[in-house]
């Protein structure tokens, strides 16, 4: 059976007659009728009860109509996927990310990406920065975006730095550290630090607690909310807290290391196909981060 025969059958069922289909497609009535008749011979059933002015579906014609529509949809999907891949775009892309860039920004980028590359299926996984290299190394994702620490630089993975961004020591205005004109190291250790916790292959760990008591949370966003609630101080990426800093609901500590620079980049799997979609995403993130340099 040929796809064009199935298409003519579906068109005729929709239009109500072979003659209408012939007119719509610019074909002769005999050509359409012959193609459908050949399909019926191959299937061993009659699909239409033919009349003078219309063609009504037989019982089996009604039963197989949806199957024929699905077959045409599958054939079209197959063609589009191949054309999409041939254009240099990934058919599927698996990405991990941390939340140094706000959720709303990711949603906007995904909307733009979906509009530009409708043939690409995208999976987006949220993880903390220390967990990103393993996700790439073990083949769970094709690429991972996030803040890069010195320990992660030694992972041996292919890392592309997109932009440096600032990290800031912040507290809520009501926190005792906020009233100090100068914050010393012993001041930090005397108060609870909100830090990042993550799971490695052995245990749950906290990322760089300075000392004293700390609260470990699994994402920057949770850390930010804990600081807003007055639970402690934290080091957070500037893109995530810019609105809170403007509004005054978060304050920067007056500490000599309050502002530091960290590279934001992407870990790339050597075994994955990196095409136009990932290239677009890298450029979009880079453009978003430029004002934070």
């Amino acid at each position: 059976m040929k796809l064009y025969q199935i298409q003519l059958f579906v068109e005729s069922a929709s239009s109500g007659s072979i003659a209408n289909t012939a007119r719509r497609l610019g074909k002769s009535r005999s050509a359409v009728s012959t193609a459908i008749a050949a399909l019926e011979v191959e299937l061993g059933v009659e699909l239409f009860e033919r009349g003078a002015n219309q063609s009504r579906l037989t019982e089996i014609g009604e039963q197989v109509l949806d199957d024929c529509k699905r077959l045409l949809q599958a054939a079209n999907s197959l063609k589009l996927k191949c054309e999409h891949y041939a254009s240099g775009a990934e058919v599927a892309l698996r990405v991990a990310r941390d939340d140094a860039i706000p959720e709303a920004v990711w949603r906007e980028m995904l909307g733009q990406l979906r509009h530009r590359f409708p043939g690409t299926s995208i999976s987006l996984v949220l993880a903390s920065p220390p967990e990103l290299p393993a996700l790439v190394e073990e083949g769970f994702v094709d690429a991972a975006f996030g803040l890069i620490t010195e320990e992660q630089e030694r992972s041996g993975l292919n890392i592309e730095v997109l932009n440096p961004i600032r990290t800031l020591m912040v507290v809520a205005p009501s926190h005792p550290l906020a009233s100090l004109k100068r914050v010393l190291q012993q001041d930090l250790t005397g108060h609870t630090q909100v830090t990042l916790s993550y799971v490695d292959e052995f245990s749950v760990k906290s990322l760089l607690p300075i000392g004293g008591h700390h609260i470990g949370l699994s994402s920057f966003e949770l850390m930010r909310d804990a600081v807003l609630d007055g639970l402690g101080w934290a080091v957070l990426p500037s893109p995530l807290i810019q609105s809170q800093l403007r509004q005054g609901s978060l304050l920067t500590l007056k500490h000599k290391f309050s502002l530091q620079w960290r590279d934001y980049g992407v870990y790339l799997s050597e075994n994955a196909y990196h095409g136009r979609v990932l290239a677009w995403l890298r450029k979009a993130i880079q453009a978003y981060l430029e004002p934070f340099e």
Side-chain angles (χ1 to χ4, degrees):
M1 85 183 65
K2 304 291 192 301
L3 281 175
Y4 81 89
Q5 295 172 330
I6 296 172
Q7 183 180 13
L8 291 176
F9 163 63
V10 171
E11 287 280 351
S12 297
S14 175
S15 68
S17 75
I18 290 174
N20 288 339
T21 297
R23 283 193 296 270
R24 181 185 299 178
L25 300 179
K27 297 179 178 292
S28 67
R29 178 173 178 173
S30 62
V32 175
S33 181
T34 299
I36 294 175
L39 178 62
E40 290 175 318
V41 169
E42 187 168 354
L43 294 176
V45 296
E46 289 188 356
L47 300 173
F48 287 111
E49 296 175 358
R50 292 172 175 81
N53 297 317
Q54 62 179 5
S55 300
R56 192 171 65 181
L57 287 171
T58 61
E59 181 180 352
I60 187 62
E62 290 276 7
Q63 292 179 12
V64 301
L65 180 59
D66 280 350
D67 293 326
C68 290
K69 290 178 180 179
R70 293 188 187 98
L71 188 58
L72 292 175
Q73 290 170 357
N76 186 57
S77 176
L78 174 63
K79 181 181 178 182
L80 289 176
K81 281 184 179 180
C82 292
E83 290 175 349
H84 190 68
Y85 182 81
S87 73
E90 300 90 328
V91 174
L93 183 64
R94 304 166 302 163
V95 174
R97 65 167 180 92
D98 68 10
D99 60 343
I101 293 177
E103 186 73 27
V105 176
W106 277 101
R107 289 201 307 270
E108 183 179 351
M109 286 191 295
L110 284 176
Q112 294 174 11
L113 194 151
R114 184 63 179 167
H115 178 72
R116 288 172 178 263
F117 304 100
T120 298
S121 297
I122 303 170
S123 299
L124 195 61
V125 178
L126 181 64
S128 65
E131 295 169 328
L132 296 176
L135 292 174
V136 177
E137 284 180 318
E138 295 172 16
F140 291 116
V141 297
D142 305 311
F145 293 87
L147 283 180
I148 299 168
T149 67
E150 292 180 2
E151 181 178 347
Q152 292 161 314
E153 288 175 350
R154 296 191 293 268
S155 66
L157 287 171
N158 181 14
I159 304 174
E160 178 185 338
V161 174
L162 300 179
N163 267 97
I165 60 174
R166 293 173 296 170
T167 59
L168 302 169
M169 287 183 182
V170 294
V171 289
S174 59
H175 193 278
L177 289 175
S179 63
L180 297 180
K181 293 183 178 180
R182 184 184 178 195
V183 176
L184 304 176
Q185 198 69 10
Q186 57 263 36
D187 298 320
L188 295 179
T189 58
H191 292 274
T192 300
Q193 178 184 359
V194 181
T195 187
L196 200 64
S197 286
Y198 63 97
V199 178
D200 67 7
E201 57 184 320
F202 303 109
S203 63
V204 176
K205 294 184 177 179
S206 294
L207 185 64
L208 301 177
I210 288 179
H213 298 291
H214 71 271
I215 298 172
L217 298 171
S218 60
S219 73
F220 289 129
E221 188 173 295
L222 291 175
M223 290 171 59
R224 179 198 63 195
D225 292 346
V227 174
L228 288 169
D229 290 340
L231 297 181
W233 65 273
V235 178
L236 292 170
S238 57
L240 188 66
I241 56 175
Q242 58 177 330
S243 63
Q244 288 79 16
L245 290 172
R246 289 180 188 140
Q247 296 163 5
S249 55
L250 286 179
L251 300 178
T252 304
L253 289 178
K254 298 177 179 65
H255 185 273
K256 62 180 178 179
F257 296 130
S258 181
L259 187 156
Q260 295 192 41
W261 292 94
R262 293 282 184 268
D263 286 333
Y264 188 97
V266 55
Y267 302 91
L268 300 170
S269 169
E270 294 182 356
N271 299 322
Y273 172 64
H274 300 140
R276 292 171 55 216
V277 182
L278 183 59
W280 181 90
L281 187 56
R282 282 148 67 183
K283 287 182 180 179
I285 291 173
Q286 198 167 29
Y288 168 75
L289 292 176
E290 281 179 358
F292 295 97
E293 291 182 2

